[in-house]
Amino acid sequence: MLEIKIEKTQNPKPIPGPDNPLVFGTIFTDHMFEMDYTKGKGWHDPRIVPYHEISLEPSAMVFHYGQEMFEGLKAYPTEDGRILLFRPDKNIERANNSNRRLMIPEIPADIFLEALKELVKIDQAWIPDRPGTSLYIRPFVIATDPFLGVRPSDTYKFMIILSPVGPYYEEGLDPVKIWIEDSYVRAVRGGIGEAKTGGNYVASLAAQVKAHEEGYSQVLWLDGVERKYIEEVGAMNIFFKIDGTVVTPMLNGSILPGVTRDTCIQLCKSWGLPVEERKISVQELEEAARTGKLEECWGSGTAAVISPVGHLRYEDDVFQIGDGGIGPVSQKLYDTVTGIQLGKVKDEFGWTVEVK
Ligand code: COI
């Protein structure tokens, strides 16, 4: 395996104190990881260096055609002073699935994991320990060839940055309101919807702004062909509990295969709850809401963790979920997922990886 060179900062920044609200994604730690790729040479020069601005030619391909991949995971502190990563192998696997779809060279899993651990270890003093906080880890790759033709780049930069964060939504664990979008679409099967890449997020902005103006925090996307079946929320996957059964849209090529989504499915099954991964139409939700069978709805994601949804709006209809508060399955998932992440609940699935 390549050896990671380490250069520590001479100018450490002040670490946010306990009064800092840690607004998601606004503060960055002292160090970052970098590694370069050159065609014919492969990935080379892995290094941890002081967090710094980067310099690229204006012609760098990432600026023009969006060839980039990103990931999101978190590091958590335990009460007995250990640091845990949650299922980093799943993020590494997904990163390389995205890379293949985006014609970005795969990153060797061993150096990827080592980079995550080493960087978190160096900046461990930045891991916040108040309830609802963690150290968000953002790995990403960008295409750097200075070239305006459309083709895969021959050079890339892989970076990892760290950000101490509080809850993703202002609402915290209070139920969010979600807008079911019926005109814009996020992705279609065969496109890049199942890859974690900026293009899917920029595609979501117009609808997100529209939803915000209407007082909704997020957009729930429908399939791009029939605009009938539920897909995902962009920053989260979505789950419903309908008449006792947990249902979530099946992975169909245009939905992001969320790590927290997989965690929810495995946990619910282990509790003996029936779980179905299948197509869910808006009409089915409408009917379930009307007959009182739409018992719970929550989103799952690394940034959002488990985020209860209090109501959904589709065209002129509002579907109220349960009694509008957090439901028992959502609460149990939140407690269990965060409990395992913080080392408070036994990790029966072997999901946590200690940073030593
Ligand atoms: C994450 O949950 O890590 C994500 O990548 C969602 C994000 C767009 C904040």
Side-chain angles (χ1 to χ4, degrees):
M1 189 173 69
L2 294 167
E3 196 193 327
I4 302 177
K5 292 220 172 76
I6 296 176
E7 180 198 333
K8 292 236 181 115
T9 182
Q10 299 301 313
N11 299 302
K13 295 181 280 195
I15 294 176
D19 295 335
N20 192 308
L22 299 180
V23 175
F24 184 87
T26 52
I27 299 168
F28 302 97
T29 65
D30 278 331
H31 298 91
M32 64 188 283
F33 174 84
E34 278 182 284
M35 179 163 74
D36 300 305
Y37 179 91
T38 312
K39 194 174 178 182
K41 188 170 174 191
W43 287 105
H44 57 92
D45 293 314
R47 55 205 183 269
I48 290 174
V49 290
Y51 182 93
H52 64 101
E53 291 181 354
I54 56 172
S55 159
L56 291 173
E57 293 208 29
S59 54
M61 290 181 80
V62 65
F63 296 135
H64 304 277
Y65 309 119
Q67 199 191 6
E68 74 94 36
M69 174 286 296
F70 77 93
E71 266 301 324
L73 67 163
K74 285 174 172 172
Y76 308 84
T78 67
E79 272 169 1
D80 57 4
R82 293 173 304 131
I83 302 165
L84 300 178
L85 301 178
F86 186 69
R87 310 189 75 185
D89 51 314
K90 295 292 283 180
N91 292 90
I92 294 172
E93 183 187 308
R94 187 175 62 186
N96 279 328
N97 290 341
S98 302
N99 282 342
R100 277 194 296 279
R101 176 64 183 85
L102 302 163
M103 297 306 294
I104 295 173
E106 288 182 42
I107 301 163
D110 54 358
I111 185 91
F112 198 145
L113 183 61
E114 194 59 21
L116 293 170
K117 288 179 170 174
E118 279 304 309
L119 183 61
V120 168
K121 201 156 60 176
I122 286 182
D123 277 342
Q124 60 182 282
W126 288 78
I127 306 178
D129 61 2
R130 278 168 288 148
T133 64
S134 55
L135 186 69
Y136 187 76
I137 307 173
R138 171 54 60 88
F140 62 112
V141 178
I142 55 171
T144 52
D145 274 10
F147 180 56
L148 296 185
V150 178
R151 59 145 172 84
S153 180
D154 287 338
T155 58
Y156 298 85
K157 201 176 244 311
F158 173 39
M159 289 170 272
I160 308 176
I161 55 175
L162 305 176
S163 175
V165 296
Y168 186 67
Y169 295 116
E170 272 170 28
E171 290 89 338
L173 249 198
D174 291 337
V176 294
K177 289 164 67 181
I178 287 193
W179 174 279
I180 304 180
E181 175 58 40
D182 63 351
S183 78
Y184 293 109
V185 295
R186 171 187 173 272
V188 287
R189 210 157 1 125
I192 53 171
E194 66 181 350
K196 204 152 174 73
T197 184
N200 291 320
Y201 296 79
V202 77
S204 75
L205 297 180
Q208 182 176 313
V209 168
K210 185 173 82 173
H212 278 179
E213 282 166 4
E214 299 282 343
Y216 287 75
S217 9
Q218 287 288 306
V219 171
L220 178 55
W221 298 100
L222 297 179
D223 75 279
V225 179
E226 294 182 72
R227 307 209 188 165
K228 183 173 165 193
Y229 296 102
I230 304 291
E231 296 235 310
E232 58 152 280
V233 180
M236 335 187 266
N237 293 109
I238 193 90
F239 283 82
F240 305 94
K241 183 157 162 275
I242 304 175
D243 201 17
T245 298
V246 173
V247 285
T248 190
M250 65 194 196
L251 299 178
N252 60 359
S254 60
I255 295 175
L256 190 86
V259 177
T260 317
R261 174 187 181 278
D262 181 75
T263 302
C264 288
I265 293 172
Q266 291 202 50
L267 284 173
C268 286
K269 285 186 177 165
S270 76
W271 298 332
L273 286 168
V275 180
E276 294 175 359
E277 293 176 71
R278 61 168 171 81
K279 284 183 162 181
I280 307 160
S281 67
V282 194
Q283 284 65 35
E284 176 182 352
L285 289 184
E286 210 161 23
E287 169 75 11
R290 204 169 35 76
T291 54
K293 292 182 177 160
L294 186 53
E295 295 158 353
E296 286 188 51
C297 174
W298 67 89
S300 66
T302 297
V305 197
I306 303 296
S307 174
V309 177
H311 88 231
L312 295 165
R313 170 156 165 195
Y314 176 64
E315 296 174 342
D316 291 329
D317 287 342
V318 170
F319 315 155
Q320 182 72 35
I321 323 271
D323 62 6
I326 181 166
V329 176
S330 320
Q331 182 73 59
K332 187 170 175 186
L333 280 168
Y334 180 84
D335 293 343
T336 311
V337 173
T338 55
I340 295 173
Q341 289 168 339
L342 294 164
K344 290 182 181 161
V345 168
K346 190 160 178 258
D347 177 15
E348 283 169 6
F349 294 86
W351 283 334
T352 52
V353 171
E354 192 174 334
V355 172
K356 290 193 223 179

